[in-house]
Amino acid sequence: MVLGSNKVKVSYYSPENSLGLILIMPPTGGSNFLDRQYAGSLCQSGFEALIIEGWQGLGEESLSLEIHQQLLSRGQEAIDTVLKNFSAPFMGIVGTSVGALHSATALGRHEKLKAGFLIAGGGPIHEVIATSDESTLKEYRKKRKEKFGFESTEEYAQALNANIDDDLDALNYQEVISNKSLALVVANKDETVKTEHQKNWVEAFNPEPLYEFDSSHFWSIVKTWWFYEEKLNQFFLDQVK
């Protein structure tokens, strides 16, 4: 299914009787086996589940510092498009990695999103981008330091910050998100979204429940599905009791 002028591609799972709608925002690279497993499991639990597969301009690359503002804005526009086309008495969101970044900001922006289960995300966004070992972001950092003459990663991070609007960073919605139902999964050996940035979310949002793995980014994401898929379902079931 494709929605809107920004061509948001979604996969929709519908139960016989709906308890609500859960959006799923995948990690870098688009939807994968785990996202489909979550969607199928949520559907079996009685929720409509909708995976946001992609949108126009998702994969654009550029050394320009402004590209992250554009990419983050497009992610929010994709969520906006879905929320204009779907509605339910209860709506929640699941996000993994960069999907967690988009999801947390959406929780701050949209009153109708009542709960979130976010996996290996953190902030501030400009620091996540500047310090990540994700291959594309790592290559950006190297080439931009050469091109623009940044002498440190901190200088690079501040330059990114100057080119990303405050309303695209979840930490600027601290009060709103803190008053919503939020579950966080933290990876304690993460270099992709550094653990310290994930802990910033813990401190700012006071999530309940909080799950932690002494694992890398990738393995914490896998372990969340392996060990906590039922807990994810129950988290949302608890919201509609």
Side-chain angles (χ1 to χ4, degrees), residues 32-39 221-222 225-226 229:
N32 56 41
F33 171 80
L34 302 187
D35 301 306
R36 293 187 289 274
Q37 288 293 115
Y38 288 140
I221 290 169
V222 172
W225 165 70
W226 185 257
E229 181 180 47

Side-chain angles (χ1 to χ4, degrees), residues 1-6 8-10 12 20-25 48-52 54-55 74-94 102-115 180:
M1 187 185 307
V2 178
L3 307 172
S5 59
N6 49 345
V8 181
K9 182 181 178 183
V10 302
Y12 178 61
L21 174 66
I22 310 298
L23 278 58
I24 299 174
M25 289 293 287
E48 299 166 75
L50 193 151
I51 303 174
I52 303 180
W55 51 87
R74 290 169 190 164
Q76 293 306 306
E77 289 165 6
I79 295 171
D80 295 350
T81 296
V82 169
L83 294 179
K84 287 176 184 175
N85 283 272
F86 289 84
S87 186
F90 170 80
M91 300 182 76
I93 194 164
V94 175
H102 291 306
S103 298
T105 299
L107 274 173
R109 294 179 60 243
H110 291 283
E111 183 178 355
K112 63 173 63 176
L113 290 174
K114 302 300 185 183
K180 294 190 175 185

Side-chain angles (χ1 to χ4, degrees), residues 113-134:
L113 290 174
K114 302 300 185 183
F117 195 108
L118 308 183
I119 304 161
I125 276 183
H126 65 279
E127 291 187 9
V128 172
I129 295 168
T131 61
S132 178
D133 72 351
E134 190 274 328

Side-chain angles (χ1 to χ4, degrees), residues 182-202:
L182 180 66
L184 289 184
V185 177
V186 171
N188 282 323
K189 296 181 180 179
D190 201 331
E191 295 296 329
T192 303
V193 176
K194 284 189 176 292
T195 301
E196 64 190 86
H197 299 141
Q198 296 182 43
K199 296 289 190 179
N200 287 341
W201 274 11
V202 174

Side-chain angles (χ1 to χ4, degrees), residues 11-210:
S11 295
Y12 178 61
Y13 297 65
S14 179
E16 186 172 340
N17 297 297
S18 175
L19 296 172
L21 174 66
I22 310 298
L23 278 58
I24 299 174
M25 289 293 287
T28 300
S31 68
N32 56 41
F33 171 80
L34 302 187
D35 301 306
R36 293 187 289 274
Q37 288 293 115
Y38 288 140
S41 182
L42 284 163
C43 190
Q44 289 180 0
S45 294
F47 291 100
E48 299 166 75
L50 193 151
I51 303 174
I52 303 180
E53 304 270 3
W55 51 87
Q56 193 170 35
L58 173 61
E60 183 180 352
E61 295 186 12
S62 171
L63 287 182
S64 165
L65 298 180
E66 291 82 9
I67 188 64
H68 301 289
Q69 165 75 25
Q70 296 167 16
L71 294 174
L72 292 166
S73 294
R74 290 169 190 164
Q76 293 306 306
E77 289 165 6
I79 295 171
D80 295 350
T81 296
V82 169
L83 294 179
K84 287 176 184 175
N85 283 272
F86 289 84
S87 186
F90 170 80
M91 300 182 76
I93 194 164
V94 175
T96 301
S97 190
V98 69
L101 305 188
H102 291 306
S103 298
T105 299
L107 274 173
R109 294 179 60 243
H110 291 283
E111 183 178 355
K112 63 173 63 176
L113 290 174
K114 302 300 185 183
F117 195 108
L118 308 183
I119 304 161
I125 276 183
H126 65 279
E127 291 187 9
V128 172
I129 295 168
T131 61
S132 178
D133 72 351
E134 190 274 328
S135 57
T136 299
L137 295 180
K138 189 175 179 179
E139 187 67 14
Y140 274 168
R141 180 167 62 245
K142 178 177 179 293
K143 290 184 176 180
R144 285 168 173 165
K145 283 185 175 181
E146 293 171 355
K147 180 174 181 178
F148 299 114
F150 299 123
E151 295 184 358
S152 66
T153 299
E154 178 58 31
E155 184 181 352
Y156 172 46
Q158 291 308 312
L160 288 170
N161 189 35
N163 286 279
I164 298 174
D165 290 347
D166 289 346
D167 63 359
L168 293 171
D169 192 320
L171 286 172
N172 291 307
Y173 299 96
Q174 179 178 359
E175 184 175 354
V176 173
I177 296 173
S178 296
N179 286 311
K180 294 190 175 185
S181 296
L182 180 66
L184 289 184
V185 177
V186 171
N188 282 323
K189 296 181 180 179
D190 201 331
E191 295 296 329
T192 303
V193 176
K194 284 189 176 292
T195 301
E196 64 190 86
H197 299 141
Q198 296 182 43
K199 296 289 190 179
N200 287 341
W201 274 11
V202 174
E203 183 176 347
F205 304 142
N206 192 29
E208 179 59 45
L210 170 65

